[in-house]
Amino acid sequence: REVTDFPSPLSSSPQVELKGVSISEVVLNELIRDKNYEITVIPFNSQGLGPPTRPVAVYVGEAVPTGAPRNVKAEAMSPTEIRISWMPPEADQQNGDLLGYKIFYQSGTFGKTNKEIEVVSASHNSHSLIFLDMYTNYTISLLGFNPAGEGPESEVVSARTLQGIPGPP
């Protein structure tokens, strides 16, 4: 049961019934993150209930995000700047409070080892990549992270910086 300032009888708390003496563990689903719970085990048989164990307090904390940022878009703004925008992962896939986003980008083919990385706060949903090479194709992806770790990367998007003014003849 969730721990609150107002005690509730055990009969009104969620229960999982396990039949069989060989079962020694159970997975509790649909718990709410950032909450404290008390776990109590009560044995029973055909004669009735036995004495309950002492409650064990359990805190359900954050987990690594399971969703990637969505609707990632990239648009060239100048010969040396690309503006990217995105929506955060679905709320039920953030698994905690996002701290920020890691943006991965590189010129040429995605998958090379020379990826550049920029980090922005979770309050942002757009960012400009600047000081890029003129008239160059860039591939870009990003991921969200929280105190528990990094989530999956978004789909890769591409954008080419604009052409610069031609040099002298």
Side-chain angles (χ1 to χ4, degrees), residues 17-26 41-46 48:
E17 187 173 305
L18 302 173
K19 295 184 178 180
V21 294
S22 62
I23 299 171
S24 62
E25 63 183 58
V26 64
V41 177
I42 304 171
F44 70 96
N45 63 19
S46 61

Side-chain angles (χ1 to χ4, degrees), residues 10-69:
L10 281 176
S11 60
S12 69
S13 300
Q15 299 179 13
V16 176
E17 187 173 305
L18 302 173
K19 295 184 178 180
V21 294
S22 62
I23 299 171
S24 62
E25 63 183 58
V26 64
V27 175
L28 302 175
N29 295 309
E30 299 182 23
L31 299 177
I32 301 169
R33 82 172 168 83
D34 242 5
K35 297 280 186 190
N36 288 301
Y37 290 88
E38 285 185 343
I39 310 294
T40 303
V41 177
I42 304 171
F44 70 96
N45 63 19
S46 61
Q47 301 301 308
L49 299 176
T53 62
R54 283 191 171 156
V56 175
V58 176
Y59 173 72
V60 177
E62 295 176 304
V64 173
T66 52

Side-chain angles (χ1 to χ4, degrees), residues 127-139:
H127 181 72
S128 284
L129 302 173
I130 57 175
F131 304 119
L132 303 175
D133 295 331
M134 284 193 261
Y135 202 58
T136 301
N137 192 53
Y138 285 86
T139 50

Side-chain angles (χ1 to χ4, degrees), residues 3 7 38 41 47 56 95 97 99 115-116 123 138 141 143 148:
V3 177
E38 285 185 343
V41 177
Q47 301 301 308
V56 175
N95 301 328
D97 295 326
L99 295 175
K115 285 184 190 178
E116 298 287 334
S123 62
Y138 285 86
S141 70
L143 60 78

Side-chain angles (χ1 to χ4, degrees), residues 41 77 87 94 113 116 119 133:
V41 177
M77 304 304 287
M87 292 179 60
Q94 292 180 18
T113 57
E116 298 287 334
V119 179
D133 295 331

